[in-house]
Amino acid sequence: MEEVKLFRTWSSPYALRIVWALKLKGIVYETIYEDLANKSSLLLEYNPVHKKVPVLLHNGTPICESLVILEYIDETWNTTARFLPEDPLARATARFWAKFNDDRVTTSIFRAYVTQGAEQEEAIGPALENLDIVEKQLIGKNFFSGESFGFLDLVFGWIAKYLGIFEETGGIKLLDEDRFPLILAWKDKFCDIPVIKESWPDQEKLITKFQLMREHFISTAAGSS
Amino acid sequence: MANEVKLHGVTRSPFVCRAVIALNLKDVKYEFVDEDLSNKSSDLIKYNPVYKKVPVLLHNGNPISESLVIVEYIDEVWKGVPLLPQDAYEKAQARFWAKFMDDKCFPTVFKAVTSLGEEQAVAEVHEALQFLENELKVKGSKFFGGDNINLVDIAATFVAFWIGAVEEALGIELLPKDKFPKLTEWSDNYVNCQAVKDSLPPREDLIAIYKKRFGKA
């Protein structure tokens, strides 16, 4: 009997990757919602190193780090459509872009979203440059993973919802139609996928949450200068 | 078409060394292309336009960048000594710890080095290394990979060799033996593996580089 549990928060885009992956593979799982301000003893036991979500629990054993979890799910439930390609070069390329997203794209956009004034203006440049690189990845492709969606779309998927949230709460415009036509076209296709469509957290709740988070970052930064 | 393998890198880089070790473990014949990072070759910029960094592996003209991505690629293409476990869960664990080296261990060590051993920075190094110490204790094996080295050991090459060089160059202590007995023992075993020994740059060279770059005037 397979027992699969997912420790997540309602809002984490990293945990959402795993929700998508589990649903796409048709895996039955139980959700355990965490309050990161009051982490459960189970979360601390299963992810002692980072104390973060998502954590996947498969038959009692924990797997942490969303990209690691995605590959684990793909390899373990390997009879249904695979997320990653078979070819080693294609796999290496996908892993490279996943790392680029997690190391550079998210951090640069986050920085533009949590800052204001001159600091924010300065942060927008790198964020847009990284998005230029992302845009190029879609040239000649339907999805980041190629003809059909896969691993890289799950990785970049946060852009389809959370980027808009960061733009609205941060008071910035990043996804300009003229500069990023491919990302915008991909966004529509990605959001049309039934599993994706049904899994987004509530829009208003996300706006409220990320508005508060931005205010918190700004006041903390002001306090420490 | 013959297998044409090139590795763009610099011998002083622990990240390049990961790729060298993987290639040597698999007995792959390759050409090392020595880069001058202060004057990057047009090839390097062409093959790694995003980061313009080393290592870059070139396999039959196809570039692969990012050291851990390269190591997994080498493992998937060339059979022989396995660098990752077969079991999906064990593989996930290996990837987790390899990522931990880059996300937590390396940045804390780098910060401690650039701050010339500032107390808080060193404390953060110890906090990160403690997780590795515990992992070795729990595993009870010679290497992170068990009886043989794997992706995790390779990812931790900078802990086994670069930390010691930096300690000597700057006269700081980052990995005290009494606090990290398992990690110290692992380091000695690891650097004595043939494939690793064949891949490491001369320790004296590293010491000289770090004295020059980070040492007190």
Side-chain angles (χ1 to χ4, degrees):
Chain A
M1 174 81 197
E2 298 273 29
E3 194 198 52
V4 182
K5 297 187 187 187
L6 175 64
F7 287 79
R8 62 175 289 206
T9 59
W10 67 271
S11 58
S12 160
Y14 297 99
L16 197 53
R17 291 171 169 173
I18 313 307
V19 171
W20 294 332
L22 291 168
K23 285 185 176 182
L24 287 164
K25 292 276 192 182
I27 299 164
V28 173
Y29 69 99
E30 182 193 333
T31 298
I32 295 153
Y33 285 104
E34 284 286 332
D35 171 7
L36 296 183
N38 187 20
K39 293 172 187 180
S40 74
S41 55
L42 278 182
L43 179 66
L44 299 178
E45 181 192 328
Y46 293 137
N47 192 358
V49 175
H50 301 295
K51 305 176 179 58
K52 282 183 181 179
V53 295
V55 176
L56 186 77
L57 206 66
H58 186 203
N59 294 331
T61 41
I63 302 104
C64 309
E65 290 295 290
S66 64
L67 297 182
V68 176
I69 299 171
L70 284 180
E71 291 215 43
Y72 174 81
I73 290 173
D74 201 33
E75 285 158 15
T76 305
W77 287 274
N78 55 20
T79 50
T80 46
R82 301 298 296 265
F83 299 143
L84 274 155
E86 286 294 310
D87 172 62
L89 182 63
R91 290 161 73 80
T93 306
R95 286 172 181 144
F96 172 87
W97 287 114
K99 201 170 189 296
F100 175 70
N101 177 73
D102 282 18
D103 287 352
R104 294 292 168 102
V105 183
T106 54
T107 48
S108 60
I109 288 168
F110 191 80
R111 201 176 136 66
Y113 139 75
V114 294
T115 49
Q116 59 184 359
E119 216 187 326
Q120 186 180 60
E121 268 171 53
E122 218 180 282
I124 286 176
L128 288 174
E129 280 160 27
N130 287 330
L131 284 172
D132 283 334
I133 296 172
V134 174
E135 173 81 4
K136 281 210 187 75
Q137 280 312 294
L138 284 167
I139 293 174
K141 293 198 249 169
N142 240 351
F143 292 95
F144 285 106
S145 291
E147 260 314 291
S148 43
F149 74 90
F151 177 76
L152 269 185
D153 301 278
L154 302 184
V155 171
F156 283 114
W158 69 277
I159 289 175
K161 168 73 77 173
Y162 288 78
L163 186 44
I165 307 270
F166 291 144
E167 285 177 310
E168 189 174 327
T169 53
I172 48 178
K173 172 87 171 148
L174 294 173
L175 271 190
D176 172 78
E177 305 87 70
D178 295 323
R179 192 163 173 173
F180 302 108
L182 299 180
I183 294 178
L184 287 163
W186 162 84
K187 184 178 155 182
D188 288 339
K189 281 178 242 169
F190 185 72
C191 290
D192 261 345
I193 298 164
V195 161
I196 307 301
K197 206 192 292 210
E198 76 188 25
S199 304
W200 295 121
D202 180 76
Q203 175 81 3
E204 289 316 306
K205 271 183 85 178
L206 281 176
I207 298 272
T208 306
K209 181 213 165 65
F210 284 104
Q211 183 62 47
L212 280 170
M213 188 186 280
R214 176 176 144 84
E215 281 162 19
H216 167 81
F217 268 95
I218 287 172
S219 64
T220 311
S224 59
S225 52
Chain B
M1 183 184 180
N3 250 332
E4 196 199 47
V5 185
K6 296 188 187 186
L7 182 69
H8 288 247
V10 295
T11 54
R12 67 179 181 277
S13 160
F15 300 101
V16 171
C17 195
R18 290 169 172 176
V20 173
I21 292 169
L23 289 166
N24 284 339
L25 276 167
K26 296 282 193 179
D27 224 353
V28 177
K29 299 286 162 275
Y30 68 99
E31 179 194 333
F32 189 88
V33 179
D34 211 357
E35 286 284 339
D36 174 1
L37 296 182
S38 64
N39 186 23
K40 293 173 185 179
S41 71
S42 53
D43 270 353
L44 180 64
I45 295 170
K46 179 171 98 182
Y47 294 132
N48 190 359
V50 174
Y51 297 112
K52 304 175 181 58
K53 282 184 177 178
V54 291
V56 177
L57 184 77
L58 215 61
H59 185 203
N60 295 330
N62 296 311
I64 301 101
S65 305
E66 291 295 290
S67 61
L68 295 182
V69 175
I70 291 172
V71 174
E72 282 219 45
Y73 176 81
I74 290 169
D75 193 43
E76 288 176 12
V77 170
W78 286 279
K79 302 306 159 200
V81 174
L83 304 181
L84 270 110
Q86 278 292 90
D87 172 70
Y89 175 70
E90 295 300 323
K91 208 185 275 197
Q93 287 303 94
R95 287 177 178 142
F96 173 88
W97 285 112
K99 197 173 190 295
F100 178 75
M101 301 299 170
D102 282 359
D103 290 350
K104 284 271 148 73
C105 293
F106 190 82
T108 56
V109 169
F110 190 78
K111 200 164 142 204
V113 166
T114 51
S115 69
L116 303 176
E118 188 267 319
E119 203 179 316
Q120 176 58 29
V122 173
E124 283 173 23
V125 171
H126 289 179
E127 203 183 308
L129 293 182
Q130 191 60 49
F131 285 112
L132 300 186
E133 180 76 13
N134 293 344
E135 182 63 10
L136 283 170
K137 237 182 251 159
V138 161
K139 283 189 96 79
S141 55
K142 198 173 174 193
F143 300 110
F144 289 102
D147 290 332
N148 298 300
I149 65 176
N150 80 354
L151 176 75
V152 184
D153 302 275
I154 295 170
T157 302
F158 73 92
V159 176
F161 193 72
W162 267 257
I163 281 186
V166 126
E167 284 176 318
E168 192 173 321
L170 305 187
I172 60 175
E173 192 173 42
L174 295 176
L175 210 167
K177 187 173 177 165
D178 55 331
K179 210 170 151 51
F180 301 102
K182 291 277 170 206
L183 213 44
T184 305
E185 191 187 345
W186 165 82
S187 296
D188 290 338
N189 286 327
Y190 181 68
V191 300
N192 279 305
C193 292
Q194 194 58 54
V196 179
K197 226 191 284 196
D198 291 344
S199 311
L200 294 172
R203 196 163 179 272
E204 296 315 305
D205 290 4
L206 289 185
I207 292 170
I209 289 167
Y210 293 133
K211 269 191 180 142
K212 193 171 171 196
R213 199 196 304 177
F214 300 114
K216 302 158 192 163

